[in-house]
Amino acid sequence: MSKRIITIKSGKEEFQMEVTEEEYRNYYRPWWQQKKREQRKRDAMEENGYTEESYDGWKDGMLDGLNELVSQEESVEEFIEKQCMLGILEEALESLMPEERELAVKLFGEQVPISEFARSHDQCRTTVSSKKTSVLLKLRQFFRDRGFDI
């Protein structure tokens, strides 16, 4: 049975081991193939304008699965700007009362019709419409206070 000498690196230490061909196929080779796949993905991402750091963040799951939202034409800067805007929007929704937040999410985010929202909450359509107007005014004031021109 043939033997192979493999090199294992850990930090600054380096070890060499002699393994059989079967051990090599079962353990070392799949690891090497995985590293090659990662390298190919990294190269493909860098060709599309991503950096090594953004790839490492994606690989480590630091982007929380949002990487699919970044289109091929969209730059990393635009993606980060959108994430900041979403953070500010989340802050704005947190500034509202729970009932107002639900109304804003349903009517503005999910685009539920006012009449349907009113029916599901046993309220008059005009009441919901006036609440919608007041929530919209609160959100506009929140954004104006933060320097956004709305």
Side-chain angles (χ1 to χ4, degrees):
M1 194 176 268
S2 68
K3 301 251 179 180
R4 283 184 176 240
I5 295 178
I6 61 171
T7 303
I8 301 171
K9 295 179 184 176
S10 177
K12 293 183 179 183
E13 297 183 33
E14 186 174 308
F15 302 98
Q16 290 192 344
M17 290 178 54
E18 189 173 306
V19 294
T20 64
E21 189 70 31
E22 183 180 346
E23 289 173 329
Y24 172 77
R25 274 195 217 110
N26 290 338
Y27 298 102
Y28 189 68
R29 193 169 180 191
W31 173 82
W32 179 80
Q33 288 173 337
Q34 176 64 30
K35 289 294 183 186
K36 279 305 222 184
R37 273 193 295 273
E38 287 178 7
Q39 180 63 42
R40 282 189 215 106
K41 286 180 186 176
R42 185 179 300 116
D43 292 343
M45 288 181 74
E46 287 177 358
E47 283 178 16
N48 291 326
Y50 296 101
T51 63
E52 181 89 19
E53 293 81 24
S54 65
Y55 171 78
D56 289 338
W58 169 79
K59 187 179 85 175
D60 295 339
M62 291 169 51
L63 298 180
D64 297 324
L66 295 176
N67 214 20
E68 301 89 44
L69 298 177
V70 181
S71 69
Q72 295 296 336
E73 295 114 27
E74 184 178 43
S75 72
V76 174
E77 291 83 14
E78 289 171 338
F79 177 73
I80 291 171
E81 184 178 341
K82 282 183 182 178
Q83 292 305 310
C84 289
M85 295 297 283
L86 286 173
I88 293 169
L89 178 60
E90 186 177 339
E91 227 180 282
L93 289 174
E94 288 295 319
S95 72
L96 298 174
M97 300 293 287
E99 309 85 40
E100 295 172 333
R101 188 176 317 122
E102 179 188 10
L103 183 125
V105 168
K106 293 288 185 185
L107 297 183
F108 303 132
E110 297 175 15
Q111 297 180 345
V112 173
I114 293 175
S115 57
E116 187 178 315
F117 183 85
R119 218 175 301 123
S120 67
H121 287 78
D122 287 331
Q123 295 178 346
C124 182
R125 185 189 58 75
T126 55
T127 304
V128 173
S129 181
S130 61
K131 285 182 182 181
K132 173 187 168 188
T133 304
S134 69
V135 167
L136 192 56
L137 290 173
K138 284 183 180 182
L139 289 173
R140 281 185 179 151
Q141 188 59 46
F142 178 89
F143 287 116
R144 282 190 188 123
D145 292 344
R146 305 282 180 299
F148 292 96
D149 187 30
I150 296 179

